[in-house]
Amino acid sequence: MNVKLKIFSGIGALFFTGQALAQNVKNDTVPTEKSIAEVVVLGYSRTTTKAKSNEAVTTVGAETLENRPNVSFLNSLQGAAPGITVNSMSGSPGSGKFNILIRGLSSLNASTDPLYVIDGLISSGTQFRNLNAEDIASVSVLKDAQATAVYGNRGANGVVVINTKNARYNSGLKINYNALSSFSTFPKPSYNTANAKEFLQIQKNYGAGEGNLLTQAQIDNWAGADTDWGKEFFQTGMSQSHNLGFRFGGENVAVYSSLGYQDVEGIMKSTDFKRFTFRNNITGKSSNGRFTYNSQLAASYSRRHQFDEETNTAINANVVQNPLFGSLMGRPTISPYRYANGRGLFAAIGTNTAGNNALVLSDIINGGIRNRFTEMGVLANLNLNYKLTDYLSIGNKVGVDYKNSDRVLARDPNGFLSLAVAVPSGIPYGGSETMNNTSDLTFSNVTNITFNKSFGLHTLTAAAYMDYLKVHWQFKQQTQNGLDPINWKFGAGTGYVPFNTATPTLYLPAVSGRQINGGTLAYFGTLDYDYDGKYGIAGVVRRDGSYRFLPANRWETFWSASARWNIDKESFMENTNFRMLKLRFSAGTTGNQNLGVPADNTNPLTLNASNYLDYYGTTLTASSFMGLPGYLMSNLSNTQLRWEKVTQYNAGLDFAYKFVEGNIDVYRKVTSRMFNDLVVSAPAGPPSTINTTTKFIRGNNGEMENKGIEALLRFNVINNDNVKFSVFVNGAYNKNEIISLDREDTTGDFVNVVGGPAYQWHLYPYIGVNSANGNQQFLDINGAITETPVAEDRRLTGKSYLPKFTGGFGFNAEYNGFFLDTLFSFQQGGWIYDNFYQWQMTPAYAGANYNVSADLLNAWTPTNTSANVPSLSASNIGREGQSDRFLYRSDFIRLKNISLGYSFTRNQLGNLPISGFKIFAQAENLITWSDWKGYDPEPMNRYSLNIFPNAKTVSVGFNVEF
């Protein structure tokens, strides 16, 4: 991909576009770029010009997204725009685990995902694995209140507006085909994991495990297995993608159509992703231009295999069920898995999993546990607009976003884990299979009337809207325990052992289901006034209603107001080198109604749908009265539950001076009425006495502030016909602080307290090794050195997993058809607790035959008193768990993308029946500079467990246009 980030900075918007196929030789290249740059896309398909935009908006062009191997376009946004933090939480192909923040964390317990809008209609998605990035024309990030208040109850976390490609009127048929082949490898950690000899030596030094049973000579001359489990679990993933696009346009109609196919093999064995997409976008108008319409129809199908840990947090730390532990914790002195299935492994080791966890995990990736997801999606909308007069128009946009996904999760009856459960219990048939289905239908309708008229030097635009959204969500699931290996086939529903009254608890199937119907309704108006292109004011007032709250709190009003001053239009700026200089200011409010954090593939509008209701659930447990079904209180209502509210202020400067262009924004954003648990009953005493018997209800209390600065600069150093060279950099600083809370709970290792950042680490300091006895040393609450710290010695660190600085930089170079483009991304200021390294540095795990770090060979001994690793027999091992010993910075600078290629000119193509041809090689995540020891510093999480690393990917491809 040619990641060429040309920035059209200007009044409120910076456009990042790049080199499209053979554009450098087309006659219409310059006017095409100019027309793109002059348009700023806002909410509800509203557009304005750069000069007349009051909003803080950054737009990423199609060329930043095209020809890259990423399944989701979200991966390609990292480092491309200031103010939006993009972290992929998993490198599993097609994963939905993303952490996307616009101007910081806006809530402690509610959803922090931005709102996504596709072609003017609100999307129910948060991961977009089924949206083909090759179909995207631009992605606009709406950040300040003036840009987001138009979305009212859903705009609190910022808005990402996605516009797909269209054809132009009066254009001939153009056919584009691009192909990409990719090779992905895993990044190597810096844990210094022990090989066989080192592992045995650590065991002998510790005095436990198989190494303790060997002589020193036997260890020194070890000729047995020395397995690199990384090679057994990881692989070079091979991927390919193919896209075919058609564009044509007549006098009154234009059509864009595309077909896409992507096949991605994961860097961990047994993970993969396949996707098929189709899109058809039509734009049309009447002969007199008064009636216009456009429609978008997209259909998609995807299938992926992923580990159960991807969505099952219960096995995050399970060393025999989570394959992510296999490569680092596998005992190197045993041979790799070479069994036909789990029966051979069970015959060899029985239920003895200690030290054999890598074999058990190998059985999982070889079919012992299978986990398949399929997802079908249809996104369709129709937009009609009619001009009643030259200045008055009416319009309506209606759309449907439908997703249907199936999951099949099974423990193969021949798998080791199935046998390890069934055989010792005398169960004839082991294994289980769970099938579930999720159906999600979101219906949207937006009606508007717009007045737009100029009076001399004055231009006034006023519009009124009604926005209706309805979601119908349904989930159903069945589980069968007991599978007959003779005729069971994964996902076919065969081989189920029938229920038997003689063994009523063994093969009893289980079924469950849920259904939610919910919606929102809003009325709002917008007003924009411009005087002579020099001054402008704008405002939004929106009245929102949501099904989530009782009638008394169901409606809320949100608003924004903004102003701009185009200084470069003033007479005193004549004959200067400023092409652009503008000040803008905005203030306003938005809301958040999503009372929980949505899981992958979950519509956020369906979360916690009944928090305002008293409702009961059924129970049939040992504690039930006489074993009979009964009812219990499942939820205690809070009649005062209301929206979270975000108030934001923004000041910005946009400029273009000679060969330099860019913008700067300063903002303050305050979240009030945060969703928090309110204590309704608790034991007497201080907060530390609150325990599991405490009863809570979800309510509103507390305030949190995010304030910061964003900047973007581009230097167009050389710009002539044969040579072009430019350098760009963007960055953002955000400070997060809790302003108020009704209740501060300081009982955990990370806490939320007034005056500190969200999820602040609450630990006692680790200061090193006692050279006299090899014990760990810490500081108690009074600052004195201690070897026996207690929980009360913990103190606030001011550190959080949230980064303070994020951004990107790079350069774009062209020379006679050759191009070289780079994009670096960075983040700084976050702190993550490295559990994995803690495990690697725990000698007891070596004694239990789990692999550890060779750093333990440098542990303190009576003859090695200067060591920085505690004694393997230190009396206070385990007390480091509440210390900052394994708290590390997650800072990194990453070469996110580098692309090298050549675009052929028309003259070079001669009489070939093609109008453009480009070949290129590119790499994704090629180099990462970081002090982080693990596989990947990018996933923004409090702990390092359960991280599927993002891959290094090298690709070759070509684009051809007919």
Side-chain angles (χ1 to χ4, degrees):
M1 181 254 169
N2 184 15
V3 187
K4 184 175 179 61
L5 301 179
K6 289 185 181 176
I7 304 170
F8 296 89
S9 72
I11 316 298
L14 294 177
F15 277 79
F16 295 67
T17 64
Q19 182 186 48
L21 174 63
Q23 277 191 340
N24 56 327
V25 297
K26 289 187 177 182
N27 294 329
D28 61 352
T29 297
V30 174
T32 299
E33 289 188 345
K34 181 178 179 181
S35 64
I36 292 175
E38 289 178 346
V39 178
V40 177
V41 179
L42 304 174
Y44 288 93
S45 299
R46 297 177 304 134
T47 60
T48 185
T49 62
K50 293 191 306 177
K52 295 182 179 181
S53 170
N54 296 8
E55 293 81 2
V57 179
T58 299
T59 299
V60 178
E63 292 75 18
T64 303
L65 311 175
E66 293 174 338
N67 298 323
R68 294 178 68 172
N70 303 317
V71 171
S72 173
F73 78 93
L74 293 173
N75 291 98
S76 303
L77 290 183
Q78 186 184 93
I84 179 170
T85 303
V86 179
N87 292 84
S88 173
M89 304 295 286
S90 171
S92 181
S95 172
K97 296 169 67 173
F98 286 92
N99 196 324
I100 312 293
L101 297 178
I102 296 178
R103 291 185 168 179
L105 186 78
S106 295
S107 180
L108 294 178
N109 297 300
S111 172
T112 58
D113 290 322
L115 174 69
Y116 295 93
V117 179
I118 302 177
D119 291 325
L121 288 178
I122 291 170
S123 170
S124 64
T126 57
Q127 37 76 12
F128 306 103
R129 66 174 64 90
N130 275 21
L131 176 61
N132 189 349
E134 300 296 321
D135 290 329
I136 298 176
S138 67
V139 177
S140 297
V141 183
L142 281 54
K143 296 179 285 189
D144 70 339
Q146 181 58 33
T148 60
V150 70
Y151 287 104
N153 65 359
R154 293 180 287 266
N157 300 320
V159 182
V160 177
V161 178
I162 304 159
N163 287 287
T164 58
K165 295 177 180 178
N166 287 297
R168 293 182 297 172
Y169 295 121
N170 299 310
S171 60
L173 174 64
K174 293 183 179 180
I175 301 175
N176 292 276
Y177 171 70
N178 63 67
L180 190 70
S181 295
S182 305
F183 305 88
S184 299
T185 58
F186 68 96
K188 295 184 178 179
S190 301
Y191 291 137
N192 191 23
T193 302
N195 60 29
K197 285 186 179 182
E198 293 168 332
F199 174 71
L200 292 170
Q201 187 65 60
I202 292 169
Q203 288 185 318
K204 187 170 186 63
N205 295 348
Y206 179 64
E210 62 178 321
N212 191 46
L213 303 177
L214 303 177
T215 66
Q216 189 61 51
Q218 287 175 315
I219 294 176
D220 293 340
N221 298 298
W222 176 259
D226 189 3
T227 301
D228 181 353
W229 286 103
K231 295 180 180 179
E232 301 302 316
F233 284 88
F234 287 100
Q235 64 183 0
T236 297
M238 302 180 64
S239 307
Q240 60 177 318
S241 64
H242 303 271
N243 292 279
L244 183 64
F246 305 86
R247 299 174 188 252
F248 60 89
E251 182 178 356
N252 296 316
V253 66
V255 178
Y256 167 82
S257 293
S258 72
L259 293 169
Y261 170 73
Q262 187 172 28
D263 185 355
V264 181
E265 189 177 45
I267 58 173
M268 293 199 74
K269 295 177 180 179
S270 77
T271 62
D272 58 41
F273 176 84
K274 288 185 179 181
R275 179 181 67 197
F276 299 88
T277 60
F278 166 77
R279 176 171 289 274
N280 190 63
N281 292 353
I282 301 174
T283 304
K285 62 180 180 179
S286 62
S287 56
N288 61 7
R290 287 194 174 275
F291 175 67
T292 59
Y293 64 92
N294 60 74
S295 67
Q296 290 83 29
L297 174 64
S300 59
Y301 172 83
S302 67
R303 185 186 70 194
R304 70 188 189 278
H305 294 89
Q306 65 184 35
F307 297 143
D308 186 30
E309 59 77 30
E310 186 83 7
T311 55
N312 183 3
T313 58
I315 64 171
N316 280 2
N318 192 315
V319 295
V320 294
Q321 292 192 51
N322 188 344
L324 298 180
F325 296 143
S327 62
L328 294 177
M329 298 192 70
R331 180 162 52 122
T333 56
I334 59 175
S335 299
Y337 183 94
R338 294 294 182 264
Y339 303 98
N341 55 40
R343 290 191 178 275
L345 176 60
F346 186 78
I349 68 172
T351 59
N352 180 25
T353 60
N356 293 311
N357 68 305
L359 294 173
V360 177
L361 297 174
S362 295
D363 184 69
I364 290 176
I365 66 173
N366 282 280
I369 295 180
R370 307 185 197 185
N371 190 23
R372 184 184 69 200
F373 288 79
T374 57
E375 182 176 325
M376 181 191 71
V378 176
L379 181 65
N381 63 66
L382 175 65
N383 184 31
L384 308 174
N385 194 81
Y386 185 74
K387 295 185 69 173
L388 300 172
T389 69
D390 290 341
Y391 52 84
L392 187 65
S393 64
I394 58 173
N396 192 82
K397 174 167 280 193
V398 61
V400 172
D401 185 358
Y402 177 72
K403 299 182 181 71
N404 190 287
S405 60
D406 289 287
R407 180 192 186 189
V408 182
L409 171 66
R411 284 193 174 191
D412 192 308
N414 286 321
F416 175 85
L417 290 177
S418 295
L419 296 167
V421 172
V423 174
S425 302
I427 300 174
Y429 298 99
S432 66
E433 184 169 75
T434 296
M435 296 183 181
N436 63 46
N437 171 266
T438 303
S439 176
D440 184 354
L441 173 65
T442 301
F443 172 81
S444 303
N445 190 82
V446 179
T447 304
N448 73 88
I449 182 168
T450 303
F451 173 88
N452 185 2
K453 191 172 178 62
S454 296
F455 308 87
L457 300 178
H458 308 270
T459 300
L460 179 67
T461 302
Y465 294 79
M466 183 180 73
D467 179 0
Y468 172 74
L469 184 145
K470 189 68 178 291
V471 59
H472 301 276
W473 183 88
Q474 181 176 276
F475 173 84
K476 51 191 175 183
Q477 177 173 292
Q478 67 176 44
T479 298
Q480 171 66 37
N481 292 305
L483 306 176
D484 187 342
I486 295 178
N487 57 357
W488 174 76
K489 185 177 181 181
F490 178 68
T494 59
Y496 289 179
V497 178
F499 174 75
N500 189 333
T501 55
T503 55
T505 61
L506 291 185
Y507 308 123
L508 181 66
V511 296
S512 62
R514 298 191 300 275
Q515 180 174 308
I516 296 174
N517 296 317
T520 63
L521 180 65
Y523 307 92
F524 62 99
T526 63
L527 178 69
D528 293 271
Y529 168 76
D530 172 74
Y531 175 74
D532 196 23
K534 296 181 181 179
Y535 317 106
I537 59 173
V540 174
V541 177
R542 175 167 171 138
R543 185 70 171 163
D544 265 298
S546 173
Y547 84 106
R548 290 186 182 278
F549 309 104
L550 286 172
N553 301 318
R554 184 157 292 170
W555 290 89
E556 185 83 16
T557 300
F558 305 101
W559 61 273
S560 70
S562 65
R564 60 175 168 81
W565 178 24
N566 297 69
I567 304 173
D568 59 296
K569 301 296 184 182
E570 298 288 353
S571 58
F572 60 80
M573 293 294 292
E574 293 179 0
N575 301 319
T576 67
N577 290 312
F578 277 98
R579 304 190 310 276
M580 183 183 311
L581 186 63
K582 180 190 70 173
L583 280 172
R584 48 187 165 77
F585 306 91
S586 67
T589 61
T590 48
N592 187 1
Q593 61 161 330
N594 295 327
L595 281 72
V597 179
D600 176 28
N601 205 41
T602 300
N603 187 333
L605 197 59
T606 64
L607 294 178
N608 301 318
S610 305
N611 262 340
Y612 66 92
L613 295 175
D614 289 327
Y615 67 91
Y616 296 84
T618 59
T619 179
L620 179 57
T621 66
S623 60
S624 300
F625 179 70
M626 297 181 67
L628 298 175
Y631 293 89
L632 54 78
M633 175 68 76
S634 296
N635 189 76
L636 184 64
S637 71
N638 179 4
T639 59
Q640 302 302 314
L641 187 65
R642 302 179 64 188
W643 316 72
E644 280 191 339
K645 184 178 180 180
V646 173
T647 304
Q648 187 173 186
Y649 306 91
N650 189 93
L653 174 69
D654 303 305
F655 58 89
Y657 179 77
K658 291 186 177 179
F659 62 90
V660 181
E661 52 190 347
N663 72 356
I664 301 174
D665 278 276
V666 180
Y667 64 88
R668 180 175 185 261
K669 186 169 67 169
V670 177
T671 305
S672 57
R673 304 189 317 222
M674 289 194 296
F675 293 133
N676 281 308
D677 288 332
L678 307 181
V679 178
V680 294
S681 68
S688 60
T689 63
I690 296 177
N691 54 36
T692 56
T693 65
T694 303
K695 302 302 181 185
F696 300 92
I697 59 173
R698 180 59 58 87
N700 303 93
N701 73 79
E703 292 187 342
M704 184 166 62
E705 176 188 69
N706 288 278
K707 58 184 178 183
I709 183 171
E710 303 162 352
L712 189 150
L713 290 172
R714 184 177 187 89
F715 302 88
N716 299 303
V717 182
I718 304 174
N719 188 10
N720 57 49
D721 291 340
N722 295 322
V723 181
K724 293 180 173 63
F725 181 76
S726 60
V727 179
F728 62 89
V729 59
N730 73 78
Y733 167 78
N734 182 79
K735 180 182 179 182
N736 175 275
E737 182 179 344
I738 297 173
I739 299 175
S740 67
L741 277 178
D742 284 3
R743 180 178 67 88
E744 294 180 329
D745 183 0
T746 58
T747 59
D749 291 341
F750 57 88
V751 296
N752 293 314
V753 297
V754 174
Y759 303 106
Q760 180 178 185
W761 287 107
H762 181 231
L763 305 166
Y764 43 73
Y766 170 78
I767 60 171
V769 180
N770 187 335
S771 61
N773 59 17
N775 284 340
Q776 302 176 95
Q777 291 185 321
F778 310 89
L779 293 181
D780 67 17
I781 195 64
N782 298 313
I785 296 176
T786 180
E787 295 181 2
T788 57
V790 294
E792 287 71 21
D793 291 322
R794 292 174 300 175
R795 75 283 313 268
L796 300 175
T797 63
K799 301 171 182 177
S800 170
Y801 76 96
L802 299 167
K804 295 180 179 179
F805 296 91
T806 58
F809 59 92
F811 66 82
N812 309 123
E814 292 182 37
Y815 176 73
N816 288 335
F818 289 96
F819 58 84
L820 174 63
D821 301 304
T822 62
L823 171 62
F824 294 81
S825 63
F826 65 86
Q827 71 178 34
Q828 188 273 336
W831 295 81
I832 298 176
Y833 195 92
D834 196 347
N835 307 74
F836 222 120
Y837 189 45
Q838 181 185 8
W839 290 9
Q840 291 271 287
M841 294 297 289
T842 301
Y845 288 156
N849 285 323
Y850 296 106
N851 204 3
V852 291
S853 172
D855 293 350
L856 290 176
L857 291 172
N858 190 40
W860 181 95
T861 66
T863 59
N864 184 27
T865 58
S866 62
N868 61 1
V869 178
S871 169
L872 299 185
S873 58
S875 63
N876 60 354
I877 289 178
R879 291 184 182 269
E880 72 278 4
Q882 292 185 313
S883 79
D884 62 2
R885 179 183 172 188
F886 294 101
L887 186 66
Y888 288 93
R889 291 182 179 272
S890 59
D891 304 351
F892 69 84
I893 299 175
R894 168 169 285 173
L895 180 52
K896 185 64 179 177
N897 184 273
I898 182 171
S899 179
L900 173 67
Y902 183 78
S903 296
F904 291 83
T905 66
R906 287 181 182 240
N907 291 334
Q908 290 172 320
L909 296 173
N911 295 323
L912 293 175
I914 57 176
S915 57
F917 186 70
K918 179 174 74 175
I919 56 174
F920 59 90
Q922 60 120 338
E924 199 90 6
N925 302 328
L926 186 62
I927 305 174
T928 301
W929 294 270
S930 178
D931 291 333
W932 181 253
K933 290 181 176 294
Y935 284 110
D936 189 2
E938 179 179 334
M940 196 165 60
N941 209 344
R942 291 186 286 271
Y943 296 101
S944 64
L945 292 182
N946 208 44
I947 300 299
F948 192 123
N950 291 286
K952 297 181 180 182
T953 303
V954 176
S955 308
V956 293
F958 67 88
N959 294 355
V960 61
E961 181 178 286
F962 300 90

